[in-house]
Amino acid sequence: MWHWLFTLLSIISFPDQELKEVVHTPPEFQMSLNEKINLSVKSPAVKYYYRVNNKGIELYASPNDWKYGRKESLIYYDESVLYNKIYYSLTINKVIDLYSKKGEQKFNPEKFGGLIIEPELFIFNSSSRPLEGLRVALDPGHFAGNVKEAIEEMRLARIRMPDKKVLEVFEAELTYTTALFLRDTLQKLGATVLMTRNKHGWTAFDKTFSQWIADDLTDAVIGDLREGYISQATANKLLISSNKRYIFKAFFHRYELHQRAKKINKFRPHLTLILHYNADSQNRRWDAQGNQYSTKNNYNMTFVPGAYIAGEMRYKEQRLNFARIVLSDQIERSIELSYFVGTRLNQRLGVDAYPANGKQYYLLKVANYTGFEGVYARNLALTRMINGPICYGETLFQDNVDEIKRLANKTLEIEGIKTSERVREVALGYFDGIMAFVNYKKVL
Ligand SMILES: [Zn+2]
């Protein structure tokens, strides 16, 4: 009885635990299937693509199929571990193929014998290289290498200060330099680190956006047309367009995110951090020159898998990942990681977690609150497709009146790129979060 009560209390008190003092193995944080489904569904429309029964989760290709009971697939509870192992071991295209053939049959474990890759355990140790064996994937968001490209991918912050001075930063550079600082710190302690972008200005295809258009656009468009991801009309438009902003919006944005997810899953990390810098979505005032006015708001937030909205069960990849997310511990492990990363970023930066009653309206439409301050379920390509604990970080508001000053004050340099002390502090916040997480988990 007492043991039971103690376990319950320790689960409840988890968010406030002072982690440096943890000497025992904390309880595994678990959610029920219903809790995970509640967090994974944002719009009622999603409910017409699945049914839960006593055997497992039935998936449907359309609301019409749902109505007439024409199942696309049934993933059984007792094969969910194998399902997750298959996703871990094979490429997404192969998994889509297997999922299509499976239908209501169970996966035959014998067929996968030689294909299943068992993860290598990471054990946190107290040596001078405590992260030896830890595999960390870092995804620095966006790709611009200069202001012109930042405008093409719509990620330039050009902020008019109260004294009329204009300050400018772009997110792809902030995230890239953050990743460099973080990578170096992690590697010093023995970790193996993957970065999805390996050069300033490169996309996840290991070349610039312009170079990718010249080399790969045609094949990529034809391939996606064949797979049904784009229409013939869109394909035609893309193939003759020289408007980079259009190519980015209509095609490359989604296409490149899938490449990031593929790279990360192939690396088989113990944990993944997606690095972004946020902006105030309610700050929509510009001067006559197109400079944005600064905002007083400033928050940190993190995203974990879940919160599917209408239209996001359209493709097989989305449906098979929905089943994977609710049948695995993907959400719990990501909440744990995001809890540690988020709280450490708040401490390091002196910035509050985004409050539960916050006024960023898009979050009310697309995100589900996890119950942990600043941590939200949100169905982004990366939170959906990446396997293993994932924290999608949206740190501070670039357009905040104090932050833009700090970010634009480039007193540091890393790999020849000028950057700010503030970026280094963000990297340290992520680092603190990773250390607290591995110290809490001990084994990954
Ligand atoms: Zn971003």
Side-chain angles (χ1 to χ4, degrees):
M1 165 70 190
W2 286 112
H3 173 74
W4 178 83
L5 189 64
F6 177 75
T7 308
L8 190 70
L9 284 173
S10 48
I11 293 170
I12 292 166
S13 64
F14 158 64
D16 301 319
Q17 219 152 16
E18 205 19 88
L19 289 140
K20 276 178 191 145
E21 265 80 65
V22 170
V23 285
H24 57 95
T25 307
E28 282 279 289
F29 161 58
Q30 293 297 354
M31 291 165 77
S32 69
L33 177 65
N34 271 342
E35 286 171 320
K36 286 191 271 197
I37 288 177
N38 285 341
L39 213 48
S40 296
V41 176
K42 179 69 186 178
S43 307
V46 174
K47 294 188 173 146
Y48 301 102
Y49 287 87
Y50 73 91
R51 276 196 184 95
V52 175
N53 66 29
N54 57 1
K55 289 186 214 155
I57 294 187
E58 301 167 354
L59 292 144
Y60 297 86
S62 69
N64 210 40
D65 284 357
W66 182 87
K67 191 175 159 191
Y68 294 105
R70 291 191 295 260
K71 293 185 207 66
E72 173 180 70
S73 181
L74 169 59
I75 313 281
Y76 296 81
Y77 298 126
D78 61 6
E79 66 176 355
S80 57
V81 172
L82 178 61
Y83 184 49
N84 219 45
K85 283 184 177 177
I86 290 169
Y87 194 86
Y88 179 81
S89 304
L90 305 177
T91 64
I92 185 72
N93 292 349
K94 190 74 195 148
V95 178
I96 292 173
D97 192 36
L98 288 168
Y99 170 89
S100 305
K101 289 178 183 151
K102 174 189 194 306
E104 289 179 57
Q105 289 178 297
K106 268 192 191 177
F107 281 124
N108 178 358
E110 281 160 29
K111 267 190 168 176
F112 295 100
L115 296 171
I116 297 297
I117 295 169
E118 293 296 335
E120 280 180 30
L121 282 187
F122 162 73
I123 300 161
F124 188 49
N125 64 77
S126 52
S127 74
S128 63
R129 286 166 69 82
L131 302 184
E132 192 82 61
L134 181 71
R135 300 172 72 78
V136 182
L138 302 179
D139 178 49
H142 313 287
F143 56 77
N146 54 52
V147 169
K148 189 172 158 275
E149 288 170 348
I151 294 169
E152 283 162 13
E153 66 165 344
M154 298 173 287
R155 283 295 179 279
L156 176 70
R158 188 177 275 158
I159 309 298
R160 177 192 166 117
M161 302 299 285
D163 64 3
K164 294 187 182 163
K165 206 172 148 190
V166 174
L167 298 175
E168 189 174 86
V169 292
F170 58 96
E171 197 184 340
E173 184 173 273
L174 299 174
T175 62
Y176 187 70
T177 46
T178 305
L180 290 178
F181 283 122
L182 183 53
R183 180 200 65 188
D184 290 354
T185 312
L186 292 168
Q187 282 176 342
K188 266 179 214 151
L189 298 185
T192 306
V193 181
L194 169 93
M195 279 174 58
T196 53
R197 295 197 287 128
N198 289 303
K199 205 168 156 181
H200 189 27
W202 272 10
T203 66
F205 293 101
D206 299 331
K207 53 180 86 175
T208 63
F209 181 38
S210 300
Q211 196 58 47
W212 180 87
I213 292 173
D215 296 346
D216 307 316
L217 174 70
T218 306
D219 285 352
V221 166
I222 292 168
D224 267 21
L225 174 64
R226 206 181 299 130
E227 300 290 324
Y229 285 114
I230 51 170
S231 67
Q232 183 72 56
T234 306
N236 292 348
K237 223 175 144 186
L238 283 163
L239 292 174
I240 57 162
S241 178
S242 55
N243 183 338
K244 286 185 187 168
R245 202 155 153 171
Y246 170 72
I247 295 170
F248 170 76
K249 272 173 82 172
F251 190 82
F252 190 72
H253 181 52
R254 178 192 59 81
Y255 193 76
E256 198 231 8
L257 288 174
H258 284 226
Q259 172 69 5
R260 291 178 193 236
K262 284 176 192 167
K263 261 187 166 173
I264 291 170
N265 284 342
K266 196 177 169 198
F267 175 67
R268 301 192 178 88
H270 292 104
L271 60 97
T272 299
L273 297 180
I274 311 294
L275 311 173
H276 284 257
Y277 284 71
N278 215 346
D280 184 351
S281 69
Q282 248 66 44
N283 178 23
R284 310 200 65 78
R285 294 182 312 127
W286 287 267
D287 69 10
Q289 285 73 46
N291 306 308
Q292 194 174 20
Y293 286 93
S294 59
T295 176
K296 289 200 171 75
N297 295 330
N298 199 20
Y299 296 110
N300 290 324
M301 62 183 84
T302 55
F303 297 122
V304 298
Y308 275 58
I309 59 171
E312 292 181 342
M313 288 286 258
R314 218 176 124 197
Y315 299 110
K316 273 184 190 163
E317 173 268 301
Q318 297 167 325
R319 297 191 288 275
L320 71 86
N321 272 316
F322 178 84
R324 182 181 68 89
I325 288 165
V326 299
L327 289 175
S328 68
D329 62 357
Q330 186 68 21
I331 293 181
E332 294 99 311
R333 302 290 82 81
S334 299
I335 290 178
E336 281 175 351
L337 175 63
S338 298
Y339 163 74
F340 288 111
V341 169
T343 49
R344 291 345 188 242
L345 278 164
N346 300 342
Q347 285 166 10
R348 210 28 113 155
L349 302 175
V351 171
D352 288 340
Y354 179 71
N357 63 350
K359 296 276 185 287
Q360 300 288 309
Y361 294 115
Y362 75 101
L363 283 180
L364 297 174
K365 284 192 212 155
V366 301
N368 278 332
Y369 181 49
T370 62
F372 292 84
E373 203 180 32
V375 184
Y376 289 79
R378 189 175 174 196
N379 184 27
L380 299 155
L382 299 181
T383 53
R384 181 178 69 248
M385 294 176 78
I386 290 171
N387 193 40
I390 171 169
C391 169
Y392 189 116
E394 283 280 5
T395 46
L396 51 90
F397 286 181
Q398 297 162 68
D399 49 347
N400 172 270
V401 65
D402 300 313
E403 292 294 2
I404 183 68
K405 265 194 267 179
R406 295 184 192 119
L407 294 170
N409 184 22
K410 296 184 176 181
T411 53
L412 298 182
E413 195 174 303
I414 186 160
E415 290 193 1
I417 311 161
K418 292 211 158 49
T419 190
S420 64
E421 183 59 40
R422 194 57 167 168
V423 161
R424 205 179 65 91
E425 285 169 357
V426 171
L428 286 172
Y430 278 109
F431 174 71
D432 294 345
I434 293 173
M435 293 307 282
F437 176 69
V438 295
N439 187 39
Y440 170 76
K441 299 296 288 183
K442 307 290 187 206
V443 177
L444 285 169

